[in-house]
């Protein structure tokens, strides 16, 4: 199947990964089929220095499923917003919005300020540097000021 013209290697790895996830999920769910308690015998992979197994009640599985669905929907929303932002940035860097604005107001286009702005933004690099500087300023502001609202506390109190 891997030498077929319509079968890619990435699809093979995806199918392999899906089969592993399905096998582990079915084994995990079947562990609680008769007892009502879903358990894993060994330590979980993501928690180091964990000595005991985990146990879940079968009634908790729908909550886990809803959490997974919510996480997937939020991830899809993030991807959609990120794509829209990137498309808007591509249009902005092309200079088309500014040119349309100046085409609507020819008197503004002839002004010295508009000409300076156009010459400054003509090289897309300057606009990108300005964007990064504004983003760094916003991020540092958001990280610097909130602790000022809560005051100081001693290390012993923590």
């Amino acid at each position: 199947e891997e030498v077929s013209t319509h079968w890619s290697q990435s699809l093979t790895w995806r199918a392999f990964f899906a089969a592993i996830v399905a096998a582990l999920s079915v084994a995990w769910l079947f562990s609680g089929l008769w007892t009502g308690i879903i358990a894993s015998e060994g330590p979980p992979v993501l928690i180091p220095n964990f000595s005991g197994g985990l146990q879940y009640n079968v009634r908790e599985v729908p909550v886990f499923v809803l959490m997974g669905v919510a996480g997937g929907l939020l991830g899809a929303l993030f991807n959609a917003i990120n794509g829209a932002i990137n498309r808007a940035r591509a249009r902005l860097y092309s200079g088309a919005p500014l040119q349309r604005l100046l085409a609507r107001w020819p008197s503004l286009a002839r002004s010295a300020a508009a000409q300076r702005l156009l010459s400054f933004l003509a090289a897309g690099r300057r606009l990108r540097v300005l964007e990064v500087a504004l983003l760094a300023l916003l991020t540092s502001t958001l990280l610097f000021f909130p602790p000022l609202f809560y005051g100081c506390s001693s290390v012993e109190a923590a």
Side-chain angles (χ1 to χ4, degrees), residues 147-154:
L148 296 178
F149 296 118
Y150 298 106
C152 297
S153 61
S154 67

Side-chain angles (χ1 to χ4, degrees), residues 37-126:
I37 301 292
I38 299 173
S40 66
E41 296 300 322
V45 176
L46 298 177
I47 305 174
N49 301 326
F50 186 81
S51 60
L54 298 174
Q55 291 186 346
Y56 303 100
N57 196 315
V58 174
R59 293 176 298 193
E60 296 170 344
V61 173
V63 176
F64 297 151
V65 170
L66 288 176
M67 288 171 57
V69 168
L73 291 174
L74 287 174
L77 177 66
F78 172 80
N79 288 338
I81 291 171
N82 191 21
I85 289 171
N86 284 329
R87 284 188 296 276
R89 287 179 67 232
R91 282 193 306 271
L92 177 68
Y93 289 144
S94 71
L98 187 59
Q99 290 170 356
R100 280 195 305 264
L101 176 71
L102 293 177
R104 288 183 188 158
W105 291 301
S107 60
L108 178 66
R110 289 188 298 268
S111 71
Q115 293 303 319
R116 281 195 301 270
L117 181 64
L118 280 176
S119 66
F120 178 76
L121 297 178
R125 293 179 188 158
R126 290 182 183 157

